Amino acid sequence: MALVKIVLVLTFVALARAEQNLVAHIEHRNSTNSSMRNDDYIDAQRRQHAFNIWYYDVQINFFKDSYLDRVNAMEYQKDSLLDKVKTANEQLYPLTLLSDFSKVCVKKYQAIMPSREWVKYQMDICISEASMEVDWLASYMASTNNTLQTYYRTTFEKEVTACQTKYNSSMSANQTLCLADVVSTTNTFTYNNQKTFSTQLEAAKNSADMDIKTLHECSFAIQNTTLSKIAEANTRIDRCIHGADDCPSCHGHFCNDVSYMSSSSIDTKNATMYNPFYGRQEIGDCLMLSIF
Ligand SMILES: *[C@@H]1O[C@H](CO)[C@@H](O)[C@H](O)[C@H]1NC(C)=O
Ligand SMILES: *[C@@H]1O[C@H](CO)[C@@H](O)[C@H](O)[C@H]1NC(C)=O
Ligand SMILES: *[C@@H]1O[C@H](CO)[C@@H](O)[C@H](O)[C@H]1NC(C)=O
Ligand SMILES: *[C@@H]1O[C@H](CO)[C@@H](O)[C@H](O)[C@H]1NC(C)=O
Ligand SMILES: *[C@@H]1O[C@H](CO)[C@@H](O)[C@H](O)[C@H]1NC(C)=O
Ligand SMILES: *[C@@H]1O[C@H](CO)[C@@H](O)[C@H](O)[C@H]1NC(C)=O
Ligand SMILES: *[C@@H]1O[C@H](CO)[C@@H](O)[C@H](O)[C@H]1NC(C)=O
């Protein structure tokens, strides 16, 4: 899309150049019908003015679109964070099936994990605060655009009419000179307005960078909180399942190494049973059997 816009802009710049050459030709004041040529001259100016306004519009819209693209890129981070919350909750599900005890542990600490709704709500606040800035960011440029348009529509047109009234077709050479002055003044006004616009565009880009930085900080805080809380919930659930929860009577009966065994696989009449050490590299110094 940006490429198409640039090509369009180049085409218009080329057209504008051709138009200025035409204006230069018209300025030779030896024609038989100067009044008509003066009209062509002013029409060419008007087309140049329309181009100037159009080009402002392109630049403002391109600036806004680029800014909003950067803001909307945050949607991917939001989705990825929502996925992490979903996965974290899904990973707890098997633990709720494992045993009533592990189910109690999950129920006890799962609430520490932020909900998908909370994460979405918080991330949406970050994103919408950033996107709301877009009109403010472009407001100085929009006002410069309006100033130029107003100048073209009122001051320029008034002065053109004044030249045409002051010097009628019998004095077309004087009219041409008068119009040339108006055009020259308008071009100076345009040039200064465009310089202002460029400065404002640069400033807007800097402000946009700051707003994007704020957005990233806002989003980072949510991501950090979410991931920290998920880790905390997992740690607490894990400790709970391993009997190391804040339970005084459990102290001294905790192994990091836990082997899970279903009660159905236990046959009290059988002298042999499944060997939890089978295939291990390390025997370790403690192994807990968790029967479910
Ligand atoms: C206008 O100028 C051209 C050359 O520049 C000349 O050939 C032509 O005769 C001039 N016409 C008038 C009406 O003076
Ligand atoms: C000049 O051109 C205008 C517009 O085409 C026409 O109405 C007018 O008669 C022309 N004047 C002369 C002197 O050729
Ligand atoms: C620039 O000004 C023109 C004319 O007033 C207007 O149509 C256009 O919407 C303006 N563009 C922006 C981005 O404000
Ligand atoms: C041009 O204006 C002068 C006086 O200002 C007048 O005498 C003349 O008739 C006018 N010519 C036309 C074609 O309007
Ligand atoms: C029109 O231009 C001629 C030559 O430049 C000048 O002598 C004359 O005074 C001008 N007429 C008016 C009304 O300005
Ligand atoms: C991330 O969040 C945790 C828990 O809320 C907090 O302790 C930590 O300071 C945060 N880190 C940063 C860099 O904000
Ligand atoms: C005892 O348990 C082992 C391992 O689970 C099994 O292979 C074996 O068949 C069982 N013996 C009897 C008599 O059920």
Side-chain angles (χ1 to χ4, degrees), residues 17 22 36 62 80 84 94 100 103 106 122 124 141 163 186 208 214 239 243 245 247 255 258 279:
R17 290 254 162 82
L22 176 69
M36 195 190 84
F62 183 73
S80 134
K84 287 203 179 88
D100 284 345
K103 186 174 177 176
V106 170
Q122 295 295 329
D124 283 344
M141 287 185 281
C163 287
T186 304
T214 305
R239 283 173 59 83
D245 204 2
C247 151
C255 297
V258 180

Side-chain angles (χ1 to χ4, degrees), residues 5-59:
K5 275 180 184 163
I6 288 164
V7 170
L8 258 177
V9 167
L10 290 179
T11 313
F12 266 77
V13 168
L15 279 176
R17 290 254 162 82
E19 217 157 67
Q20 270 161 357
N21 288 340
L22 176 69
V23 169
H25 277 294
I26 289 169
E27 269 186 302
H28 287 292
R29 274 170 274 114
N30 81 335
S31 61
T32 46
N33 196 336
S34 280
S35 154
M36 195 190 84
R37 293 209 165 193
N38 281 345
D39 287 349
D40 283 348
Y41 177 43
I42 293 305
D43 278 347
Q45 280 303 316
R46 288 192 185 110
R47 281 197 292 279
Q48 176 67 44
H49 295 168
F51 167 78
N52 291 341
I53 295 296
W54 173 84
Y55 189 47
Y56 273 174
D57 214 46
V58 167
Q59 288 179 93

Side-chain angles (χ1 to χ4, degrees), residues 100-167:
D100 284 345
F101 180 59
S102 57
K103 186 174 177 176
V104 166
C105 290
V106 170
K107 288 275 169 280
K108 195 169 168 190
Y109 294 116
Q110 191 168 20
I112 294 174
M113 283 190 188
S115 67
R116 279 169 57 82
E117 289 70 28
W118 182 86
V119 170
K120 186 179 177 309
Y121 178 73
Q122 295 295 329
M123 288 293 281
D124 283 344
I125 288 179
C126 296
I127 293 171
S128 73
E129 275 177 355
S131 49
M132 271 182 333
E133 291 296 308
V134 71
D135 285 329
W136 186 85
L137 285 170
S139 63
Y140 288 104
M141 287 185 281
S143 131
T144 302
N145 171 50
N146 281 338
T147 304
L148 190 59
Q149 174 77 347
T150 305
Y151 188 91
Y152 288 155
R153 279 203 179 141
T154 58
T155 311
F156 175 77
E157 292 301 337
K158 240 194 293 189
E159 287 179 357
V160 165
T161 310
C163 287
Q164 286 163 344
T165 320
K166 193 169 174 190
Y167 307 105

Side-chain angles (χ1 to χ4, degrees), residues 268-283:
T268 51
K269 296 190 179 71
N270 193 334
T272 62
M273 60 174 261
Y274 153 78
N275 176 6
F277 294 99
Y278 181 74
R280 283 182 176 232
Q281 305 289 340
E282 301 263 336
I283 294 169

Side-chain angles (χ1 to χ4, degrees), residues 18 50 52 68 82 84 90 92 109 119 123 155 158 196 205 211 224 234 246 264 278 281:
N52 291 341
L68 289 177
L82 287 173
K84 287 203 179 88
E90 281 171 0
L92 294 181
Y109 294 116
V119 170
M123 288 293 281
T155 311
K158 240 194 293 189
T196 303
K205 282 178 182 168
D211 285 337
N224 177 51
N234 280 333
D246 307 311
S264 62
Y278 181 74
Q281 305 289 340

Side-chain angles (χ1 to χ4, degrees), residues 165-171:
T165 320
K166 193 169 174 190
Y167 307 105
N168 61 24
S169 51
S170 66
M171 291 181 288

